[in-house]
Structures are given as C-alpha cells and as structure tokens.
Amino acid sequence: MKRQFGLGSWLTAGAALAVLVSGTGLAAAQELPKVPRNRTLISQGWDFYNQVPSIDNFNPYAGVLLHQRNSMHYTVYESLFYTNHFTNELIPWIAESYTYNKDFTELTVKLRDGVKWSDGKPLTAEDVVFTFDMLKGAAPELLFSSAIAEWVDSAKAVDPLTVAIKLKKPGPRWAADFLATGQSTRFVVVPKHIWEGKDPKTFNNFDLAKGLPMGTGPYKLVKSDASSLFFDRRNDWWAKDVGLVKEMPKVERIIYVPATAEAMPQLYATNQIDIGRNIQSGVFEAIKVQNPNLTAWNAQGPVWGAPNGCVIGIRFNVQKAPFNDVALRQAVNAAIDRDQIVNLAYEGSVKKAVLPFSSYRGMLDYVDGMGDIIQAAALDKRSVERVAEILSKAGYKKNSAGRWQRPDGSPLEIRVSVGQGDPVGPVLGEQLRSAGFDTVVNVQQITAQTEALTAGNFGLSVYPHCGSLYDPWQTLEHFHSKYAPKEGEAAKNLRAPTRYANPELDAILDKLEARQPSPKDADYVALAKQATAIIARDLPEIALFEEIQTQPFNTTYWTGFPSSKDPYVAQPLPWEGFALVIHRLQPKQ
C-alpha cells in the first residue's frame, strides 16, 4: 500500500523509512552516518505541507509557518526561559533569572554562565542586545519586530552575563510573555558574530559547511531538501557541560518530514512518524487499534488531549452589518447549545467554554469567581424564547416562513464560516435555524478563512482565540480598540479580528496592563471581572468550547512524553518548551 510522503512523491511505508533512516538517497550523497530507527525521532512538525516550505532559509524571524515552530525550536535553538503552563512554573534555561524595578519599566536579565554556540563561542549579553537592536531596526518587516519596537526602549550589556532592558511602558508580564512563553511570541537569540553586518530581512542563515543555522541546542542541521530535514546530535552541548542536564539526549537523529492532514493518521498508525500534529479524537481511537503504542495526554477518552490556551468561538465582525448590532449578537448566543456542540460535533472530546479563557490552573483561579457574570448575561442557556424576546425588542420581525428579518424588513441571512474539516458547522447551523435564523454554513480552507478574518471579509466565523495562560488580560486585551482598524483596512492582530472598540473597556484594560497580575490581588480581580462583564454583555465574540487537541505520541521507539500523570511541560509540539520533551525521551528498544 502506498502513502503520500514528503515532496508529494509516493513511496511505500517501508521504502520511505528506509530512505530516511538508513542514510541512502540524498542523505547518502552528503555522506551522513547511518542511524538506526530506534535512535531516530521522526517528526511531521506542526503545519501541513506537501514539501519542506523552505530548504535554504533558516532565518528564525522570516516566517512563523516555516521552521521555527516545526523543527528548529527543539533542535538548533533554545530559549532564555521555558514555562510549564500547567503549573505556571518558570524554567530558567539560557538565562537564570530576571528582576523588575518597582514600576515595571526596567528589568535585568541574568544569563547562565557557560552557554555556548555550536561553534564553541560563548553566548553573552552582547548577543541578546544585538538581537533586540536588530529586531527594532527591522520593524515591521521581521516577525516579532513590531512587538519589540513597541515595547523595548533600549537594551544594554551591563557585563557579559547581564542585560538591562528599558521598556517604553510598564510591562509587569512582559518578561513572561516575551521571553518565556514561546508560542506566537518567540524571542530567539542569534549569534552576533554571525549576523553582524548582515541584512536580517534578507539573510537566509543557511550554510551547512559553515555550521549555519547556528544555535545553542544539542542538534545541528545536516541535510535540507524538499522531502526532509535531518538534525544530528552534536558531540558536545553546553547544558551537559555546566550540569543543567545529566546526559546528552538519547535521540541521535531528528528527521522532520512534512505531511498533509490526510496522510497524518496512517503515518502514526504505521510508525512512519513519532510526533506531529494533533488529529480528531475519533480518528485517534481508530488508529490506536492499529497501533496500540500510540498515547495521548490522557490515558482514556473521550477527552484525550489537554488545554492549549485557546478557545474556539464565534468571532463577529462588529463593523459589518448586521453583526454591528449587539442585540443580534446576543440573540445568536441565546440560540446556542454548547453541550450539544460538544457532544454531537466532537463526541465529548472537548470541554465547553462559556468565557473565552483556557482551563489552565492559573486561569481557573480567576474564572471560578466569574459565575455571576455568566448568570447575569445568560451566556450558557439556550432559549428560543429569549431569542424572540431580544430580537423583537430590537425591532426584528419574522416573515411568513418563520425566519427573522431585519428591522427595515430586509432579509436576514446568517452565514457561518467554518474551517474545512471542522464538524461544528452542521450542528451550529441547525441550532440557529431552529431559532428562526435563515442560516448558511460556508466551509472554507483554513488559509482562506484566516485571510478573510484578517481582511475583514467575514461576518460570523468560527475560529480559535488563543490568549490566556495565567491572566485574563492576555485574552481581554485583544478587544482593545488599538486593534480595531478602520473599515476596509486589514486587522492588526489575527488574535483580534473582531474590530471591536469601546473606550470604557480600553480604560480598564490599560489599568490591567500596568499591574502585575495576581488572583490574590482583589483590585486586579475586580478590574478583570469588569472587563469580562463588558465582553459578556457586548459579545464581539462567543466562546463555544476549549480547544483540546488530541496530539498522539508514538511510543514504539521512544518513551518519556509528557502526560497528565507526568505534566513536566505543556505538550503542544509548536511551543518552544517542546525542547524539554526531546531531552527527556528514552529509547524503548
């Protein structure tokens, strides 16, 4: 049986593994040593591709959908800090600590002594300062550069292991979010002695003979072509030399092989990959029968996966009629049965969300006290009668077919945009129809859906909202009017596509932004509740369910993956902290 693999070529499963693992074909042309399968980790990465998206550009700031979140973050590059989002624990790595001044406008970062680049040169404060200055100078053209330019006034090397950073405004959570979270914000330190004098907007950071891309991680890139990337373990690694880890990673070779969504289940089932993208829970259960060595975060279903800081919800374009009418948005919410969506569309594999916050422990300390907001806004109660009450009061009327019309008598059509493969569309569509809405479900390719959200060419779209990990502000700030472009202009932040603007909310969010978040701070909690209550009232977004991703781990060759029983780090592969997973893996054979 043949499977799609890599460059869109068709190879038998056995032949594909033979090429990748044995060092034959293109690998042999570069005279790579042979590494047995039971010492090789094969990764699909996270994004779906038919081929390696770029074989000669490894600039970590050149594209979020290229290498940094698919393979480079757990091979070549390392972070200043990592975070275990289940415990909100800071895990020092390249850096040992950071401290703020009293008003959170300055911080001092202490680097770890003994960190070395792969060419043996020490990583120093000069490298960190150079990276900050490089990003500021290249804004807005490099990834993350605009955010750095917005926040960082200056960075200075106090001594070889100390960096002093001045912020343009108080940033009590800036260090955690910019230097330790490692999701959409990825601060990757680059070696000054390699990048100095280069144009960072065009520098491709690729020359295998010269050791590029150069990082501090335990692996180096040794092969790059359209079908795969090979990363081989280096002979030395600073983390072992300084005693941060006890031994070198047991994985000797990591192979990144791009794959399509359609190919994923069978790649897992037939041991062609060990790690990769999440799959639907029902599919996971089916292929687990074929390959009992597949595990997930939880040992049993139907909720196999873990939170990832994202909530799936209805995102309204509040600049576009008819969704500029808060009454209509409230009526849509009253038509929704979240429990039915969870059980019918997702077979109970996800968790209902009424507020747009994740269920990480740090967030529950806030959310557990917001039940009065949910009750006051009647957020989690489907009621066709309430739909009629809200709309009738706002001037809407039903036509002879029993469908709601706009106050001016014109037809009211609710077009629901969902991503291809998302099962929520039919269930949500029927719920709205049964409440009297003339509803059409529009299935889009994910790329097209994302582009529509950015351009503002949508009315109602079901899409993830990633934000809060330990603080409500991390989600709520996406409703700040600074993200609301003029009608016809592109959204400034994909996490903030609703174009909602409210000066009352802005004032509260600005206060929250300037304070250090803590569920023990009564004033902070009160502000967070005020902001949440405004969102619950105006509903620029309706939370439906928490994104719980069933991410398989194949234990045929490797053990030591994180799980609910051993939550040493959050499990999502594209997050920077996945490097800690690689360090923990142990060969099974």
Side-chain angles (χ1 to χ4, degrees):
M1 183 166 57
K2 296 185 178 182
R3 306 292 175 198
Q4 190 170 2
F5 207 85
L7 182 57
S9 57
W10 293 85
L11 301 171
T12 64
L17 285 178
V19 170
L20 290 175
V21 179
S22 69
T24 60
L26 291 171
Q30 299 184 34
E31 299 181 351
L32 295 181
K34 293 183 178 181
V35 176
R37 177 67 175 97
N38 59 7
R39 294 298 180 270
T40 300
L41 184 78
I42 302 180
S43 170
Q44 172 266 333
W46 191 251
D47 300 297
F48 293 128
Y49 296 111
N50 280 315
Q51 63 183 44
V52 174
S54 173
I55 64 172
D56 59 1
N57 190 338
F58 289 84
N59 182 330
Y61 295 108
V64 71
L65 298 183
L66 295 178
H67 302 303
Q68 186 56 28
R69 79 177 202 161
N70 284 293
S71 59
M72 296 291 288
H73 63 294
Y74 52 84
T75 53
V76 172
Y77 289 119
E78 298 178 303
S79 292
L80 295 175
F81 305 94
Y82 297 112
T83 301
N84 183 344
H85 296 293
F86 288 99
T87 61
N88 205 29
E89 173 193 4
L90 185 74
I91 304 172
W93 203 254
I94 291 176
E96 291 185 329
S97 65
Y98 65 82
T99 56
Y100 275 104
N101 65 351
K102 290 185 178 180
D103 64 359
F104 302 106
T105 57
E106 299 180 13
L107 69 152
T108 301
V109 178
K110 288 288 186 180
L111 301 179
R112 192 182 300 275
D113 192 12
V115 181
K116 294 181 180 180
W117 298 104
S118 57
D119 64 356
K121 296 183 183 295
L123 182 150
T124 70
E126 292 290 345
D127 295 304
V128 178
V129 171
F130 172 82
T131 305
F132 276 122
D133 290 343
M134 178 190 77
L135 290 171
K136 288 179 61 180
E141 295 183 56
L142 291 183
L143 288 169
F144 203 34
S145 60
S146 294
I148 294 298
E150 176 189 353
W151 279 93
V152 177
D153 180 61
S154 65
K156 178 182 178 181
V158 178
D159 60 48
L161 297 178
T162 307
V163 181
I165 302 170
K166 289 186 178 181
L167 302 179
K168 294 181 179 179
K169 52 186 174 181
R173 60 185 67 72
W174 183 87
D177 291 354
F178 278 58
L179 306 182
T181 296
Q183 294 178 0
S184 61
T185 53
R186 300 170 187 271
F187 181 67
V188 180
V189 182
V190 299
K192 178 180 178 181
H193 65 283
I194 299 295
W195 286 67
E196 192 170 30
K198 307 290 195 306
D199 181 351
K201 297 186 290 292
T202 59
F203 181 47
N204 66 3
N205 192 37
F206 177 72
D207 189 329
L208 296 184
K210 295 181 179 180
L212 303 185
M214 183 178 295
T216 60
Y219 296 90
K220 61 182 178 180
L221 180 67
V222 295
K223 182 183 88 74
S224 174
D225 61 39
S227 66
S228 60
L229 303 177
F230 278 47
F231 301 88
D232 279 2
R233 191 180 64 190
R234 299 198 284 115
N235 293 327
D236 58 356
W237 179 32
W238 68 268
K240 181 177 182 300
D241 295 340
V242 304
L244 184 60
V245 298
K246 294 181 180 180
E247 58 186 1
M248 293 291 289
K250 294 299 178 65
V251 177
E252 297 178 18
R253 173 170 289 166
I254 297 175
I255 300 175
Y256 161 69
V257 182
T260 64
E262 295 76 14
M264 287 292 297
Q266 197 62 21
L267 294 177
Y268 277 123
T270 56
N271 290 324
Q272 293 188 68
I273 57 174
D274 303 305
I275 56 176
R277 180 82 186 205
N278 63 293
I279 58 179
Q280 292 185 14
S281 60
V283 177
F284 172 75
E285 292 170 354
I287 63 173
K288 188 172 172 60
V289 174
Q290 299 179 60
N291 186 352
N293 292 322
L294 293 177
T295 64
W297 183 259
N298 292 316
Q300 294 181 336
V303 182
W304 291 98
N308 68 356
C310 303
V311 171
I312 308 297
I314 291 173
R315 320 295 291 276
F316 292 107
N317 181 348
V318 301
Q319 290 180 344
K320 187 173 183 179
F323 301 113
N324 57 344
D325 184 355
V326 65
L328 179 59
R329 302 197 298 268
Q330 291 172 343
V332 169
N333 179 77
I336 291 171
D337 184 336
R338 292 172 176 81
D339 293 301
Q340 187 181 66
I341 289 174
V342 166
N343 292 322
L344 290 185
Y346 297 95
E347 300 176 315
S349 64
V350 297
K351 296 179 180 179
K352 178 175 67 174
V354 183
L355 297 174
F357 305 127
S358 75
S359 62
Y360 281 131
R361 179 63 259 170
M363 279 306 305
L364 292 180
D365 291 336
Y366 295 96
V367 174
D368 287 347
M370 292 184 177
D372 55 337
I373 295 175
I374 296 172
Q375 184 174 1
L379 288 183
D380 191 26
K381 184 179 180 182
R382 171 177 162 84
S383 171
V384 175
E385 293 76 18
R386 179 167 165 76
V387 171
E389 178 185 345
I390 294 170
L391 292 181
S392 297
K393 186 176 181 179
Y396 293 78
K397 296 180 180 180
K398 284 188 175 181
N399 61 19
S400 58
R403 299 300 184 192
W404 288 106
Q405 292 180 312
R406 302 189 194 196
D408 63 3
S410 61
L412 171 63
E413 181 183 77
I414 304 293
R415 185 171 291 272
V416 178
S417 296
V418 298
Q420 189 173 40
D422 191 339
V424 73
V427 179
L428 180 58
E430 183 54 35
Q431 289 180 359
L432 294 175
R433 287 187 203 96
S434 66
F437 293 106
D438 184 9
T439 306
V440 176
V441 176
N442 179 32
V443 179
Q444 296 179 295
Q445 293 282 351
I446 300 299
T447 301
Q449 186 186 24
T450 302
E451 291 174 349
L453 282 166
T454 301
N457 297 326
F458 76 102
L460 184 162
S461 189
V462 180
Y463 199 81
H465 185 177
C466 300
S468 292
L469 301 169
Y470 61 89
D471 173 18
W473 176 87
Q474 293 173 301
T475 289
L476 295 170
E477 73 112 358
H478 298 144
F479 301 106
H480 196 289
S481 62
K482 69 180 181 180
Y483 294 123
K486 295 180 180 179
E487 192 169 356
E489 294 182 359
K492 300 176 181 180
N493 185 333
L494 184 56
R495 294 189 174 190
T498 64
R499 299 166 179 259
Y500 176 79
N502 182 340
E504 177 191 8
L505 179 64
D506 290 349
I508 299 173
L509 293 178
D510 290 343
K511 291 178 182 178
L512 285 169
E513 183 180 42
R515 297 177 70 109
Q516 187 172 34
S518 171
K520 297 180 180 179
D521 181 342
D523 291 338
Y524 189 86
V525 171
L527 287 170
K529 288 190 67 174
Q530 289 175 33
T532 303
I534 291 173
I535 296 302
R537 178 196 70 200
D538 291 354
L539 290 177
E541 171 180 313
I542 298 174
L544 298 177
F545 55 91
E546 190 171 10
E547 186 174 46
I548 303 291
Q549 295 177 328
T550 303
Q551 182 177 336
F553 294 125
N554 187 351
T555 64
T556 300
Y557 299 103
W558 298 102
T559 62
F561 295 103
S563 67
S564 58
K565 291 185 178 180
D566 187 16
Y568 60 87
V569 73
Q571 86 292 350
L573 183 149
W575 295 3
E576 304 292 278
F578 200 81
L580 303 181
V581 177
I582 303 299
H583 305 164
R584 284 249 195 154
L585 295 181
Q586 295 293 320
K588 191 173 181 180
Q589 301 178 13

